[in-house]
Amino acid sequence: MTLRVYALYGCSLRVLGSMITVGIAGTCVSCWALFFAKNTTVAQPMTSCHIGLSYDTSTRFAITWESVFAYDLIIFVLTLTKTWRAGRNMGMPLITLFLRDGNRATYFAVTTLSNLANILTFYFCGPFLRGGLSTFSSSISATMMSRFILNLHETASVGIFSTHINTRDRVSRLEFVQD
């Protein structure tokens, strides 16, 4: 998505450099939290295969998700800012632009909110529910980005894997059969 925001801002090297810096910083913070984490488990009242996370361990895991959240939030804010500026320059109301280009903001908003919900489980849920939305959040992120890319591919008129087909040139033949 860094390249998408880079293109959205007219190939600004400042935006690209900022996004790469934030991405590298988030990766470093995540690696630090994962590799230097002190893993502790909660004593289980019953014997089972589920292991609860202590609060210390869950905050370390939350740090990795917070770096992803921060990156997604920056992309979301940059996208909203560009949409707002475009609407102001074109004299169009902001709501009209969101309805026209709403897919961009919607995809980022859903991904960001799912990451936020996952982060909150690390801090406010019990030991056996901490991080319970991690799979959901990862799935939502992958699904939303896939739909976003497919939407871009669908609207593109020229590209490596796209062909331009005029639907008016297609001939449709519909026949009804009588009993």
Side-chain angles (χ1 to χ4, degrees), residues 160-178:
I160 295 174
F161 298 112
S162 65
T163 58
H164 183 68
I165 299 173
N166 190 353
T167 57
R168 293 180 190 174
D169 294 339
R170 293 183 186 175
V171 177
S172 174
R173 186 172 170 178
L174 181 64
E175 296 180 14
F176 293 97
V177 178
Q178 292 181 349

Side-chain angles (χ1 to χ4, degrees), residues 119-179:
I119 291 167
L120 293 176
T121 64
F122 283 108
Y123 291 114
F124 298 113
C125 288
F128 297 104
L129 292 177
R130 289 182 179 137
L133 293 178
S134 295
T135 304
F136 172 76
S137 183
S138 296
S139 299
I140 285 292
S141 294
T143 303
M144 295 309 281
M145 287 304 114
S146 297
R147 293 206 33 98
F148 181 70
I149 297 301
L150 288 174
N151 188 26
L152 288 177
H153 180 70
E154 180 182 314
T155 58
S157 60
V158 179
I160 295 174
F161 298 112
S162 65
T163 58
H164 183 68
I165 299 173
N166 190 353
T167 57
R168 293 180 190 174
D169 294 339
R170 293 183 186 175
V171 177
S172 174
R173 186 172 170 178
L174 181 64
E175 296 180 14
F176 293 97
V177 178
Q178 292 181 349
D179 289 336

Side-chain angles (χ1 to χ4, degrees), residues 4 8 79-106 151:
R4 175 72 180 132
L8 191 63
T79 303
L80 286 179
T81 303
K82 189 64 172 180
T83 303
W84 180 72
R85 286 182 184 166
R88 189 177 61 183
N89 292 341
M90 295 169 51
M92 296 177 74
L94 191 59
I95 192 71
T96 304
L97 282 174
F98 280 128
L99 292 175
R100 187 188 74 183
D101 298 334
N103 291 334
R104 278 191 301 209
T106 304
N151 188 26

Side-chain angles (χ1 to χ4, degrees), residues 69-82:
F69 175 76
Y71 192 77
D72 286 343
L73 187 64
I74 289 170
I75 288 177
F76 182 60
V77 168
L78 286 173
T79 303
L80 286 179
T81 303
K82 189 64 172 180

